[in-house]
Amino acid sequence: MYFHPRSTLSSCSARLDKQGRGSRYIMGSGESSTELCQRTLKEKEVKIRRALERLRDKRSVLRKQRLRREFPIVSVIGYTNCGKTTLIKALTGEATMQPCDQLFTTLDVTAHAGLLPSCMPILYMDTIGFLSQLPHSLIQSFSTTLEDVVHSDVILHVRDMSHPNTEQQKASVLSTLRGLQLRPALFNSMLEVHNKVDLVPGYRPPGHHVLAVSALLGHGLDKLKATLEESVLQATDRRVLTLCLRLGGPQLCWLYKEAKVQQVQELPKTDMAHVTVIISQATYGRFRKLFPE
């Protein structure tokens, strides 16, 4: 979908004319139909710009809070109405999320907690939908709302494969991302998700580099979660390990303080347990120095 307020002037004027409000001047206002449309559209731009500025400030505060809690961040991006919110709802099970088929719907700070197959907690960031032909007066405000993408660990680029202009939409999104000057590693590791494939008869994935899903029907989500976990672990330099440790020993106490203990499975008739832990490479190195095998 393309959005350019200036390009709607002629259609706006035509509607006024059809309504009998005068093709030249609006009775009592001293404004022509074109001038009225220009003023109305400018007022809408001002409202959108103010909302975007408020959003930037809120995101800055929340970003600091997330960094303190050390949650991996997955930014879900895509062209407007590609199904980002529906996908996050399917991945997290948040029944309260209500996707809307409108421009600028996601104008709020939305971080949604989810679990990966290893039970590692992550945060999905639902970003504002990308647009083509964005008005020049909104470009700066729009770009500042995407600062979360720069600070994320992994990016999911969601595409609506049922849209006739899906390739142009992809090009628009990638162009905007390049303008954000992302870290090369972050840009190159971006996962491309082909959504709404249930609406495309005979759809076939173009290769192993994309993930085909139907967020609405739940198709392909398990594979997406598994691939996403691999990407998050690599991006955050973490590992999922299962260690055999003594219950109540210093090793287990240390791991509870320095890493994320996911599961402790006691072994029958022993004081040992299989401990599944998510741990960074650096922390694991310290663990092995303190507790050599």
Side-chain angles (χ1 to χ4, degrees), residues 118-131:
S118 66
C119 293
M120 176 169 55
I122 64 171
L123 286 179
Y124 294 98
M125 298 302 302
D126 191 0
T127 64
I128 185 172
F130 286 62
L131 301 170

Side-chain angles (χ1 to χ4, degrees), residues 53-126:
E53 291 299 324
R54 290 195 300 269
L55 175 60
R56 181 190 63 178
D57 295 337
K58 289 181 181 178
R59 285 193 182 278
S60 178
V61 172
L62 284 187
R63 185 161 54 247
K64 292 177 182 178
Q65 294 175 349
R66 291 194 304 272
L67 289 175
R68 285 199 299 268
R69 295 173 183 172
E70 297 184 347
F71 285 121
I73 306 297
V74 176
S75 288
V76 184
I77 68 169
Y79 209 82
T80 187
N81 297 333
C82 68
K84 300 186 307 300
T85 302
T86 302
L87 179 60
I88 294 175
K89 179 180 178 181
L91 291 171
T92 62
E94 287 193 29
T96 57
M97 296 181 68
Q98 296 297 328
C100 297
D101 186 23
Q102 297 176 11
L103 294 168
F104 292 114
T105 295
T106 307
L107 277 179
D108 199 0
V109 182
T110 51
H112 307 275
L115 293 176
L116 294 177
S118 66
C119 293
M120 176 169 55
I122 64 171
L123 286 179
Y124 294 98
M125 298 302 302
D126 191 0

Side-chain angles (χ1 to χ4, degrees), residues 114-122 229 240 260-263 278:
L115 293 176
L116 294 177
S118 66
C119 293
M120 176 169 55
I122 64 171
E229 178 165 274
V240 179
K260 301 290 184 183
V261 176
Q262 300 298 100
Q263 184 180 36
I278 299 174

Side-chain angles (χ1 to χ4, degrees), residues 211-274:
L211 296 153
V213 305
S214 169
L216 189 62
L217 300 181
H219 298 164
L221 297 184
D222 289 340
K223 183 178 180 181
L224 172 57
K225 287 182 179 180
T227 304
L228 180 57
E229 178 165 274
E230 293 177 6
S231 297
V232 168
L233 290 173
Q234 183 176 356
T236 59
D237 196 30
R238 302 182 190 190
R239 301 169 63 183
V240 179
L241 298 176
T242 299
L243 307 172
C244 189
L245 302 175
R246 185 168 59 85
L247 288 169
Q251 294 96 331
L252 184 55
C253 292
W254 190 91
L255 288 173
Y256 268 112
K257 293 179 181 178
E258 303 295 333
K260 301 290 184 183
V261 176
Q262 300 298 100
Q263 184 180 36
V264 177
Q265 184 177 5
E266 297 184 21
L267 300 178
K269 299 180 181 181
T270 71
D271 63 347
M272 305 295 289
H274 284 152

